[in-house]
Amino acid sequence: MNQKEELINLLGPTPHAFSYAAGAARYQNLTRLDPQNFYLIPPSGAPNGTVSLEACELLAGPSYGGYGLGNTLDSITTWVVPLLILVGNMNYDSFAAQKYWNQITVALHLLANPIHAMWSLLVKLDVKRRIEVRCRDGLRGVGRGDDIVWIYSAILYALDDFNFSANFEHHFNSLMAIARSDAVEDQEACRIAAIELTVSRVNNTRRAWFAILGYVAAVTANIIRADFAEKMPVHISHTIALRELNFWLICAIILSAKVGGFPSEWKSVGVLVDLQAKLTSAPFILRPLQPWTGGNYTWRPRKNMSSISASPDRRFVVLAFLATASVTTAMLMSFVLSYLTPTKGIGVRSTVELCYWGWWCVNATATYLFERNRSPSKKKWLWTIAKDGLAAIFMVVFLFSAWAGWWNSCYYWSSALHPGTSRDTAYIDLVDMQQDIAALMKKTLPILVGLEFGVQLILTTSMIWYCQGGTLRPPWTMAAAEPETIFQTLLRRHPAGIAPNDDDADREFNIRPHDPRNPLLQGEGTYELRRRDSPWVLA
């Protein structure tokens, strides 16, 4: 009778599916019945209290043990749903011809290619700074200081959505000529257009911060719940590590909120077309707004925008580094937590986290290199979405397999992938795993999670400072504009009044007198835009 048969005779048949509880109980029974048993001896170089991979499969089961439908649904509702809510707070540009297709492609691109998506958002933020610096230089000596700089910067920033500022010099020179001319009507038309473009741009920064705080609260509540659970799941620390892998979403959501976007594809087009019709010249070269021509801020094939500044620089390289740093720090915290989770060392989960990070880096590099060729933008966009769509589906399915328990086996819990370890010398902490994980949850894990939140916020603040440090705020606020101007500029104008489905209908605006010289603003109050039959009027 060999050693395996002796073990079965002592403890009974081996469980088919992996069960940590059954394995630990069988180990204790074997220690009591046969303290010198071969399978109780740790592999060479392994810590005391561990067993070999072969012994684990005999004690706890050779196959994976699923967590069951209840545990899987619990993981989805407590960990995945908050993450989806966070992703839902991205700015998704709406294109009528594509319905929800653009929202889906943006989400797939973000999940499969986060470095490239954040890099594109950072370049968009940097474009705003470049435009304002260029306009300040171009309008030097023209009166009204930053007020007039802001007007033409807002128009040029909106024009960046059309073919990534490919016609910037033409637009810039045309608008500078208007600013320096005596064409008062053209200048006033530009001022009204700048107001309408700025107010129409959706900025959901507050909503994004609430979503992030909600996600932080959900993560904290789940950690506390696990700490006080009567029986802590042994996979809880790995579950949190896989969530930390996607903490770069905090940075992406804040950047998306900071960039903002228009409610529909027609908002900026309508304003610019109206402006062009009012100007004595026709300065704009407008093409249909599409996701691959500038309407989608998470995909931008042109990264080096130094042509706007009229002097070469390498800021886009720094932006790429910042985007990579956000993803890398999330991966490092996730990797450290998986590494410290028993069995300590590089296992399957920590290797998967490294593979995710490696794919994100390779994918961003491949996308950037492909964008440098002279193919049409639409072809580049479709290639990127096809590639990222397949990768995102595979990555999500892979994560769901972990939540379902397909990684719950002796091999996945072992140190089989640790450097210098083979399957024969791999070991697993089967005895004290639950106690070690409980200690990790109470001390190390909260520190790592809190540190990762802090690092992401610091990185995000650094990105915004680098891209927008010293940029202009509009010289007026909602409070500084005349009621007539608000009525004219916030709502789309047409002969019959305002369309019933206009997004700006039934909104309230707090008006405060920022300009004491304005006779229309002689006190604070609330103005309401209401529909009184037709057309819309200012109440």
Side-chain angles (χ1 to χ4, degrees), residues 177-187:
I178 292 173
R180 291 182 172 277
S181 69
D182 296 327
V184 178
E185 292 184 357
D186 286 356
Q187 293 171 359

Side-chain angles (χ1 to χ4, degrees), residues 36 95 102 118 121 132 141 150 166 217 230 259 338:
Q36 303 301 320
F95 294 89
N102 187 60
M118 284 192 284
L121 289 171
E132 289 178 354
W150 166 79
E230 184 177 344
V259 171
S338 289

Side-chain angles (χ1 to χ4, degrees), residues 94-95 155 157-163 193 196-197 200-201 261-277 284-290 293-295 297 492:
S94 176
F95 294 89
I155 297 173
Y157 189 48
L159 287 168
D160 178 68
D161 294 354
F162 299 86
N163 205 23
E196 188 167 358
L197 288 170
S200 298
R201 185 177 288 275
F262 294 104
S264 73
E265 61 189 295
W266 305 112
K267 279 289 184 180
S268 61
V269 175
V271 175
L272 293 171
V273 169
D274 287 350
L275 174 60
Q276 183 151 268
F284 305 143
I285 301 175
L286 299 177
R287 298 179 180 179
L289 192 62
Q290 298 291 349
T293 60
Y297 297 158
R492 297 290 305 120

Side-chain angles (χ1 to χ4, degrees), residues 375-536:
S375 301
S377 292
K378 185 175 183 179
K379 181 179 179 180
K380 298 177 184 177
W381 163 253
L382 292 176
W383 177 83
T384 301
I385 292 307
K387 165 180 60 66
D388 291 347
L390 292 174
I393 292 172
F394 174 79
M395 295 166 77
V396 170
V397 170
F398 208 67
L399 287 178
F400 267 98
S401 69
W403 301 327
W406 295 358
W407 299 9
N408 189 33
S409 70
C410 287
Y411 181 80
Y412 285 101
W413 281 104
S414 73
S415 62
L417 298 181
H418 195 75
T421 304
S422 64
R423 183 178 178 86
D424 294 333
T425 59
Y427 57 89
I428 180 172
D429 184 3
L430 186 63
V431 185
D432 300 322
M433 181 187 295
Q434 195 154 28
Q435 294 86 339
D436 293 342
I437 290 176
L440 184 71
M441 288 286 295
K442 291 183 182 298
K443 297 180 180 179
T444 308
L445 188 144
I447 295 175
L448 288 175
V449 173
L451 182 62
E452 177 57 21
F453 276 124
V455 168
Q456 290 297 329
L457 293 179
I458 291 172
L459 278 173
T460 305
T461 304
S462 301
M463 293 175 183
I464 295 174
W465 173 83
Y466 186 74
C467 292
Q468 285 199 306
T471 57
L472 296 173
R473 290 180 178 271
W476 58 278
T477 62
M478 190 75 70
E482 302 90 339
E484 290 84 358
T485 302
I486 293 176
F487 171 62
Q488 292 173 358
T489 59
L490 291 184
L491 303 180
R492 297 290 305 120
R493 300 181 296 278
H494 58 75
I498 307 302
N501 62 350
D502 197 285
D503 295 333
D504 294 316
D506 292 328
R507 288 175 55 185
E508 294 185 355
F509 305 100
N510 292 320
I511 311 299
R512 288 185 287 275
H514 282 221
D515 187 354
R517 297 170 297 176
N518 191 336
L520 296 174
L521 296 175
Q522 297 299 328
E524 297 187 6
T526 299
Y527 293 80
E528 298 182 42
L529 292 170
R530 295 176 178 171
R531 187 182 184 189
R532 292 182 177 172
D533 298 324
S534 181
W536 291 84

Side-chain angles (χ1 to χ4, degrees), residues 139 144 147-156 159 171-172 174-181 183-198 271-272 274-276 278-281 283-284 476 485 489 493:
L139 294 170
R144 296 192 304 178
D147 290 6
I148 193 171
V149 172
W150 166 79
I151 291 172
Y152 298 100
S153 298
I155 297 173
L156 288 169
L159 287 168
H171 295 153
F172 176 78
S174 300
L175 290 174
M176 293 301 102
I178 292 173
R180 291 182 172 277
S181 69
V184 178
E185 292 184 357
D186 286 356
Q187 293 171 359
E188 180 62 15
C190 289
R191 187 183 75 89
I192 297 299
I195 293 174
E196 188 167 358
L197 288 170
T198 303
V271 175
L272 293 171
D274 287 350
L275 174 60
Q276 183 151 268
K278 294 176 183 178
L279 299 177
T280 54
S281 60
F284 305 143
W476 58 278
T485 302
T489 59
R493 300 181 296 278

Side-chain angles (χ1 to χ4, degrees), residues 197-209:
L197 288 170
T198 303
V199 176
S200 298
R201 185 177 288 275
V202 176
N203 188 323
N204 62 347
T205 304
R206 183 181 304 172
R207 189 180 69 185
W209 274 109

